[in-house]
Amino acid sequence: MTTGAIITARMKSIRLPGKMMIDIGGKPLLQHVVDGVKKAKKLDKVIVATTVNSPEIVTYCQEHNILCYAGSENDILTRLYTSAVWQELDFIVRVWGDSIWITGALIDCAVVEYQICDTDGMTYLSVKDNYSDYWVAVMSFKLLEKAYREVVDPANREWIHKYLSNPNDITRHTPRLILMDYSISAGYHTIDTKEDLERERKWYERSKATS
C-alpha cells in the first residue's frame, strides 16, 4: 500500500500572489513545506499538485527533483485525483501549500490516527494542530475516486476539504476531526497576507538564531 502526501500550491493566490516562490530565509516557501513533509516516516511519496498557470512552480520542482503535477486552477479535486492516479497512491495526505512550519510528526500522527479509525476506506480524517493552525487531511484513494466521479458542483470540487469535512448524501463517507491540543508544529500560522509573510520571516530568523 502506497501513502503519499499531495501539497496543493499555486502562484495565483488571491490575497498574496506568487507566495509559493517568495524567499524566506534563503529558500522559497514551497521548499520549506516540501522539506517539512519529507520528514514524515509514514509517507512513501511527496507530490506537489499545482496549476497550469504556475510555470514557476513546475520549473522549480523539475530543477529540484520534486514530483509535480500541473492541472486545473480551481478544480482542486481533479488535481488531487490525477496526482494520486499518476503516482498510484492507495492513501492520500493532503497538505496545504503555505504550511511553512509543517512537520513530519503531524503527518505521521494523522496517518496513524487514520489507520486506527478507518474500517471501510470511506473515512475522511481532518487533523488540526491548534498551535500552528495547520490542517492535514487523510483519505483513501477509494474515497477520492468516488468524490471525483460523483461530486459535480464546481464550488464543491474547489473547496473539497470543506465538502468532505461534512456528511453528505453523495459520497456517503464518514468525516472525522481530531484537534491536537499540544505543540506538534514549530511555528504559528499560514501565510495569506504580506503581514503574515513578514511575521513568518521574523520567526524564521529568530528560530534560526536560537537553533
Side-chain angles (χ1 to χ4, degrees):
M1 294 293 185
T2 303
T3 301
I6 300 179
I7 303 168
T8 50
R10 62 177 184 164
M11 292 298 287
K12 289 192 175 183
S13 171
I14 295 174
R15 287 175 289 184
L16 189 60
K19 68 180 178 180
M20 294 310 305
M21 298 307 296
I22 289 177
D23 183 272
I24 300 177
K27 58 185 179 181
L29 170 59
L30 177 63
Q31 188 65 59
H32 285 280
V33 180
V34 170
D35 290 346
V37 172
K38 283 188 172 181
K39 292 179 181 178
K41 298 177 181 179
K42 299 292 184 179
L43 295 177
D44 301 300
K45 297 183 179 182
V46 177
I47 306 155
V48 173
T50 189
T51 76
V52 292
N53 299 316
S54 303
E56 301 91 340
I57 292 177
V58 174
T59 299
Y60 183 87
C61 288
Q62 291 173 340
E63 293 175 347
H64 292 81
N65 297 315
I66 300 168
L67 293 172
C68 181
Y69 166 77
S72 171
E73 183 72 31
N74 296 317
D75 189 344
I76 293 177
L77 176 54
T78 294
R79 267 196 273 154
L80 291 169
Y81 174 76
T82 308
S83 298
V85 170
W86 172 43
Q87 289 299 313
E88 301 181 328
L89 303 183
D90 299 293
F91 299 97
I92 296 93
V93 180
R94 183 186 174 184
V95 178
W96 278 255
D98 56 356
S99 305
I100 181 174
W101 299 104
I102 193 73
T103 67
L106 177 60
I107 293 171
D108 287 341
C109 280
V111 172
V112 170
E113 291 290 347
Y114 177 86
Q115 293 170 340
I116 292 171
C117 71
D118 181 68
T119 59
D120 59 1
M122 292 302 290
T123 298
Y124 185 77
L125 178 65
S126 302
V127 178
K128 180 184 179 184
D129 175 12
N130 284 330
Y131 181 70
S132 64
D133 202 30
Y134 289 164
W135 293 85
V136 296
V138 189
M139 73 194 97
S140 68
F141 180 78
K142 175 183 177 181
L143 175 56
L144 179 61
E145 184 174 43
K146 185 175 178 62
Y148 173 76
R149 297 190 184 284
E150 299 181 6
V151 176
V152 177
D153 189 324
N156 289 333
R157 294 181 72 88
E158 178 176 6
W159 300 100
I160 190 61
H161 172 65
K162 182 178 180 180
Y163 180 81
L164 291 177
S165 294
N166 296 281
N168 62 74
D169 293 331
I170 296 179
T171 52
R172 297 186 181 278
H173 64 288
T174 305
R176 296 180 183 270
L177 170 65
I178 295 177
L179 300 177
M180 298 294 184
D181 293 325
Y182 55 92
S183 172
I184 196 168
S185 293
Y188 288 133
H189 302 100
T190 54
I191 300 175
D192 292 315
T193 66
K194 291 181 179 180
E195 290 75 19
D196 292 342
L197 174 61
E198 292 308 311
R199 180 196 65 225
E200 295 308 317
R201 277 176 168 161
K202 291 177 181 178
W203 177 262
Y204 181 84
E205 291 303 322
R206 287 199 299 268
S207 63
K208 186 176 180 181
T210 57
S211 62

